[in-house]
Amino acid sequence: KAGVTQTPRYLIKTRGQQVTLSCSPISGHRSVSWYQQTPGQGLQFLFEYFSETQRNKGNFPGRFSGRQFSNSRSEMNVSTLELGDSALYLCASSLGSGDAYEQYFGPGTRLTVT
Amino acid sequence: AQSVTQLGSHVSVSEGALVLLRCNYSSSVPPYLFWYVQYPNQGLQLLLKYTSAATLVKGINGFEAEFKKSETSFHLTKPSAHMSDAAEYFCAVTNNDMRFGAGTRLTVKP
């Protein structure tokens, strides 16, 4: 099976712009979670989508949003970019939603905001 | 709320030596605990997970971890380090959402 894919892998944006990142889960996986990884804050949970519904959300401002499509692919959007949004954004998929399900991570999208 | 603390942001061992990476958890309910490894410019790869079935959990690449409720610990070990083990390791706990530790960077000296 193909793993989790994320596009694009690298992105450079300017402050104030918006950005959309894409995640394709492993075939058959219905849950997609997003994480932000920075040197200062480490790995932080953004949100989880399951069957096109946001199931859980971390402590991030409303500028961060996401959605999931009927084929389980997910996108996350960040509006009005700030310098502090520069990070590696990781997507993870799992068969179902719940603590017992293993999450499989993609390679990430490295976003640089200038 | 659940959380994990990884003791030691950097650990250096010689090739062939024991690897011990420490993780303590805080959770109000029986936790699900995980260890992940991250190589440069890559995502996270699951090494092993604890789901209360057995306290000693064996993972990939020769790693294992022991769940000790009395010590609220879930330390990761490997008997003999290999150069390819050099990476960053994350302990995580989940209870509706996954919380990661700050990570431990493992260096393996030849």
Side-chain angles (χ1 to χ4, degrees), chain B residues 31-107:
Chain B
Y32 288 90
L33 292 160
F34 305 80
W35 275 100
Y36 284 90
V37 62
Q38 186 177 34
Y39 297 99
N41 298 315
Q42 294 187 27
L44 277 67
Q45 181 183 10
L46 179 67
L47 281 174
L48 49 82
K49 69 174 183 179
Y50 167 76
T51 59
S52 77
T55 56
L56 183 62
V57 183
K58 293 189 184 298
I60 62 171
N61 301 340
F63 284 95
E64 63 182 36
E66 186 172 7
F67 175 76
K68 291 188 177 180
K69 186 177 179 180
S70 60
E71 299 177 8
T72 61
S73 69
F74 190 58
H75 301 332
L76 181 71
T77 60
K78 181 174 180 178
S80 177
H82 191 272
M83 297 296 290
S84 61
D85 294 327
E88 186 138 24
Y89 292 78
F90 293 93
C91 180
V93 63
T94 184
N95 183 11
N96 290 322
D97 64 84
M98 189 166 281
R99 304 290 178 94
F100 288 87
T104 298
R105 184 168 300 277
L106 175 67
T107 302

Side-chain angles (χ1 to χ4, degrees), chain A residues 57-76:
Chain A
K57 189 178 190 308
N59 189 24
F60 276 82
R63 300 185 297 106
F64 291 81
S65 63
R67 59 178 176 168
Q68 186 181 34
F69 302 95
S70 58
N71 61 359
S72 295
R73 190 177 70 86
S74 177
E75 290 181 347
M76 70 162 276

